[in-house]
Amino acid sequence: MASDFLPGFDRHRIETAPGVTIHARAAGRARPASSGPPVLLLHGHPQTLSTWLHVAPRLAETRTVVAMDLRGYGDSSKPPGGERHANYAKRAMAADAVAVMRALGHDRFAVVGHDRGGRVAHRLALDHAQAVERIALFDIAPTATMYARTDKAFATRYFWWFFFIQPHPLPETLIGADPEYFLRHHVEGQSKTPGSTPPDLFAEYLRCYADPACRHAICEDYRAAAGIDLEHDAADSQARVTAPLLALWGAKGTVGQTYDVLETWREKATDVSGRALECGHTLQEERPDEVFSELAAFLG
């Protein structure tokens, strides 16, 4: 039985596309859904919606909060990748997010995305601009920018970007030899705050990572990012996110040490603000109080 890291949050299973059901949790200042401005929380790899355990309940004191497992992750469906891995394109994942929020009664909302969830949020703000009130992105630079500026240092520190995209079943087979070792190495390497992912939370991530279908879906996510997502980005190279955008990143992490994060987002959006936090990659686990304060101020 999975641990419940968001007590008081209702559970939902919402069909967003043929063969795709998204697992979501929702709570807020009051029900029905019209009470409290809505915000959607999107996790990254290798986390699940449980990564928001320190932030979501505090946001829910004044807002309606929805956290969802991206397709392929957590307890959401893990469909086949399809031709050119299109079922894991950020466009498909963004469409899931819009469908989830509409099913819960929200046509316009703020979105907060960490890591892969931030890439979904970026695509969401481009494809569904009318739905996005504000957007906050945690510890990412734009995908196309990161691939275009790849050098030895980045490829070494973010090796999984290039490992996961190898043809099936090579990465799936190698990770499957010892999923716990790989996951622990990844989580501990990304975080710069010892103990910020406690054993019970790591066990929740491992519960999902132990599923071969999840590991395959994760690889498909990265394969899409290195292919069809870049094509979508190239087609939209002149488009700009018009919603206010908050970028937060870890000063001790690869993104913060490799890029001028604000400048990369000013190339993609018209209204950008943000700053570094003294942590690694997983801001919402390493510095939850600061993350909450930044979001409370940004979301209003």
Side-chain angles (χ1 to χ4, degrees):
M1 181 67 179
S3 299
D4 186 357
F5 293 93
L6 294 175
F9 278 63
D10 296 334
R11 295 181 183 272
H12 301 272
R13 296 196 64 81
I14 298 167
E15 185 175 356
T16 60
V20 179
T21 300
I22 298 297
H23 172 239
R25 305 288 300 274
R29 179 161 59 89
R31 298 178 181 85
S34 59
S35 297
V39 58
L40 173 64
L41 306 179
L42 302 175
H43 67 86
H45 168 264
Q47 288 80 27
T48 70
L49 60 78
S50 294
T51 193
W52 302 107
L53 76 166
H54 300 303
V55 176
R58 296 175 70 181
L59 288 175
E61 293 175 5
T62 56
R63 304 183 69 90
T64 299
V65 178
V66 179
M68 59 175 264
D69 286 329
L70 299 174
R71 67 164 66 187
Y73 291 80
D75 292 312
S76 288
S77 293
K78 298 158 182 67
E83 186 176 355
R84 301 175 62 240
H85 320 291
N87 283 338
Y88 289 89
K90 304 310 156 291
R91 176 159 285 163
M93 292 180 168
D96 288 338
V98 170
V100 165
M101 293 303 277
R102 287 178 178 167
L104 296 176
H106 309 298
D107 291 325
R108 185 169 169 80
F109 50 90
V111 58
V112 179
H114 170 245
D115 187 77
R116 311 308 291 176
R119 303 186 191 287
V120 175
H122 182 202
R123 176 47 57 186
L124 174 60
L126 291 174
D127 286 0
H128 307 275
Q130 74 286 352
V132 178
E133 177 190 20
R134 288 173 175 266
I135 177 173
L137 305 174
F138 291 0
D139 211 60
I140 63 167
T143 305
T145 301
M146 293 177 75
Y147 272 119
R149 300 180 188 176
T150 291
D151 58 14
K152 179 182 177 182
F154 173 73
T156 300
R157 296 178 70 172
Y158 263 37
F159 73 91
W160 56 91
W161 272 44
F162 309 95
F163 173 51
F164 287 165
I165 67 176
Q166 299 306 310
H168 173 270
L170 178 63
E172 291 92 336
T173 301
L174 296 179
I175 298 168
D178 196 339
E180 180 174 358
Y181 175 83
F182 186 89
L183 180 63
R184 191 174 300 280
H185 181 275
H186 188 88
V187 170
E188 293 180 352
Q190 289 279 78
S191 173
K192 305 305 178 185
T193 308
S196 60
T197 303
D200 58 345
L201 185 57
F202 178 83
E204 169 64 3
Y205 298 155
L206 180 59
R207 177 184 69 85
C208 301
Y209 222 78
D211 179 2
C214 179
R215 298 195 298 271
H216 176 58
I218 287 167
C219 292
E220 289 293 283
D221 172 15
Y222 281 82
R223 289 168 181 140
I228 194 168
D229 288 347
L230 291 179
E231 294 175 19
H232 293 160
D233 287 345
D236 289 336
S237 62
Q238 301 305 309
R240 295 293 180 268
V241 173
T242 56
L245 186 153
L246 173 69
L248 299 176
W249 63 94
K252 301 177 182 179
T254 297
V255 171
Q257 294 178 352
T258 306
Y259 304 98
D260 181 337
V261 179
L262 290 181
E263 186 57 34
T264 68
W265 285 110
R266 286 175 178 143
E267 296 170 357
K268 303 295 182 181
T270 60
D271 182 358
V272 177
S273 61
R275 70 181 183 94
L277 304 184
E278 284 299 313
C279 62
H281 178 61
T282 316
L283 282 65
Q284 66 276 10
E285 295 179 19
E286 296 183 62
R287 291 290 184 270
D289 291 343
E290 291 176 69
V291 165
F292 171 74
S293 295
E294 290 286 341
L295 287 178
F298 177 68
L299 297 175

